[in-house]
Amino acid sequence: MTDAAKLTADLIRCPSVTPQEAGALTLLSSVLTAGGFECQRVDRNGTPNLFARWGAKGAARTFGFNGHVDVVPPGDTASWTHPPFSGHVDDDGMIWGRGATDMKSGVAAFAAAAIDFVSQTPPDGAIILTITGDEEGPARDGTVALLDWMAQEGEAMSVCLVGEPSNPENFGEMMKIGRRGSVTYRVSARGVQGHVAYPHRVRNPLHALCWFLDGLASNPLDEGSEHFGASSLQVTTIDCDNPASNVVPEVATATFNIRFNDLHTPDSIDADMQQRAAAISAETGVAILLTPDVGAESFLTAPGPFVDMVRNVVEAETGLTPELSTSGGTSDARFVKDHCPVVEFGLVGRFMHEVDERVPADEVRALQRVYSKILQEYFA
Ligand SMILES: [Zn+2]
């Protein structure tokens, strides 16, 4: 048996802060190669990525796993109980270090499960692992680069499981079958500058901007859909930088972000936002310009055989029926969804990005068992 907990600790000892792989992909490559996988580095623009396949290219049934070995910086290392790249295992069986939950444990669990599965019960099909070194960073040359390269090479996954932490508190209580989309808007309001004592000669951009933002904040975009909660909008900054108390400024700016569900697309949101801005511009004479930056579209892997199979395995192995959730931030599943059905199941997300990130070794081994069972069921 390959021990995912030991592999997790070994991976933590590689200080792979984005975009450094620091030996993490080299280690995985050698472990997977020894397990019979064909491995290939698919680096792009200095970003390290690893592709690994067991079985024939183009096999009709190809199970995919996706994950990342890059981690966020540890912050002040003096604040850590054990050094962040020590991979220290304490007497209670806790593995310490940056990436313990997000997500070297997830990668170790699916790599270990895949290696043991193909050696014990070689399946009629193939298993592909796509492991990136750029999920925590800009994510431009990570999973996207792997998927681009795979399309070029005629490599494809029939389904894919992303091993990101998916449970809020208890192992087995939640899996993700979709994610909300994200778009950030930069707003510029340009009016007419002047003396505060002569209001008929100014057009105050701050008044128009506040009116516009208040309209956004006080009118929810929707009340949610079958598989998604309500879309949310948050204003993140309002700026003007005007030091004078007797001058109405010419320009004020703001930024807001929308996390939207499957009732919207970036285009439908933009049409709505532009219309609201135009109405207030017409009313106030202040030109409100909106510049959207789309981070992700929303997606849903509709409940069906693949979702049911993963849910049933999680239930059988953990005793909990996982909620089919679409909550949380974005993940690389947003790229995979363009290629094949994708779901996410991993560990409990506690301690992600925190000082003293750590994970119980037993939980890593439990995740390894879940992944093993999923492979057995998929190829049964
Ligand atoms: Zn992650």
Side-chain angles (χ1 to χ4, degrees):
M1 283 280 288
T2 310
D3 184 7
K6 180 181 179 303
L7 184 53
T8 300
D10 290 343
L11 286 171
I12 290 171
R13 293 185 189 111
C14 307
S16 52
V17 175
T18 322
Q20 306 300 322
E21 66 96 15
L25 291 183
T26 308
L27 170 61
L28 283 166
S29 183
S30 71
V31 170
L32 286 162
T33 302
F37 282 74
E38 272 177 52
C39 293
Q40 165 126 19
R41 284 285 290 271
V42 185
D43 296 11
R44 188 164 89 181
N45 294 327
T47 297
N49 301 298
L50 178 67
F51 172 88
R53 173 173 35 76
W54 183 95
K57 176 171 163 176
R61 289 179 79 67
T62 301
F63 193 95
F65 284 105
N66 171 265
H68 64 92
V69 289
D70 62 317
V71 296
V72 296
D76 183 1
T77 55
S79 301
W80 286 68
T81 305
H82 301 284
F85 300 109
S86 63
H88 177 81
V89 184
D90 69 18
D91 293 343
D92 298 326
M94 193 70 89
I95 308 169
W96 293 70
R98 177 58 83 228
T101 56
D102 186 12
M103 60 164 285
K104 287 175 168 174
S105 46
V107 171
F110 67 60
I115 288 167
D116 288 351
F117 179 68
V118 297
S119 79
Q120 288 158 13
T121 48
D124 178 15
I127 298 176
I128 282 177
L129 312 186
T130 53
I131 304 168
T132 177
D134 178 26
E135 196 275 343
E136 303 285 8
R140 276 192 290 270
D141 295 306
T143 292
V144 178
L146 280 159
L147 293 167
D148 288 350
W149 177 86
M150 285 171 62
Q152 262 172 36
E153 297 289 318
E155 301 274 3
M157 303 179 281
S158 310
V159 293
C160 182
L161 194 153
V162 175
E164 287 276 3
S166 62
N167 299 287
E169 299 286 338
N170 302 298
F171 182 61
E173 68 186 347
M174 185 179 285
M175 56 187 275
K176 308 248 167 141
I177 58 167
R179 293 277 184 153
R180 294 179 299 178
S182 171
V183 57
T184 293
Y185 274 87
R186 300 196 198 285
V187 192
S188 158
R190 183 176 294 270
V192 175
Q193 182 180 316
H195 197 302
V196 292
Y198 300 90
H200 57 286
R201 287 171 54 181
V202 304
R203 284 185 192 147
N204 193 327
L206 283 163
H207 293 186
L209 184 61
C210 288
W211 188 16
F212 173 66
L213 296 175
D214 180 55
L216 297 180
S218 37
N219 294 296
L221 288 163
D222 57 69
E223 288 173 348
S225 64
E226 188 184 355
H227 294 288
F228 286 82
S231 300
S232 79
L233 182 151
Q234 293 297 321
V235 176
T236 51
T237 185
I238 300 173
D239 302 288
C240 177
D241 200 23
N242 174 19
S245 61
N246 57 354
V247 174
V248 171
E250 183 183 11
V251 176
T253 61
T255 303
F256 64 90
N257 176 271
I258 301 174
R259 296 297 163 111
F260 57 93
N261 60 32
D262 58 347
L263 296 173
H264 310 271
T265 64
D267 284 348
S268 71
I269 285 184
D270 198 49
D272 182 23
M273 293 298 128
Q274 299 293 350
Q275 194 179 22
R276 294 186 199 214
I280 288 177
S281 291
E283 191 90 10
T284 60
V286 170
I288 297 179
L289 286 182
L290 302 179
T291 311
D293 180 8
V294 178
E297 302 199 22
S298 73
F299 75 93
L300 177 75
T301 299
F306 179 44
V307 171
D308 288 349
M309 183 271 281
V310 173
R311 178 168 57 181
N312 291 342
V313 169
V314 172
E315 188 173 42
E317 290 291 315
T318 69
L320 297 177
T321 305
E323 178 191 340
L324 305 181
S325 170
T326 54
S327 62
T330 59
S331 80
D332 277 359
R334 72 188 191 271
F335 305 123
V336 179
K337 64 105 163 90
D338 293 331
H339 296 256
C340 65
V342 55
V343 301
E344 300 173 62
F345 181 76
L347 289 170
V348 175
R350 228 171 25 224
F351 308 128
M352 284 194 296
H353 298 201
E354 293 180 16
V355 165
D356 280 350
E357 184 175 347
R358 58 196 185 275
V359 67
D362 284 349
E363 230 168 83
V364 181
R365 295 186 184 112
L367 182 63
Q368 179 181 358
R369 284 195 297 277
V370 168
Y371 289 157
S372 299
K373 198 74 202 300
I374 286 172
L375 288 172
Q376 287 164 29
E377 289 291 320
Y378 180 76
F379 289 106

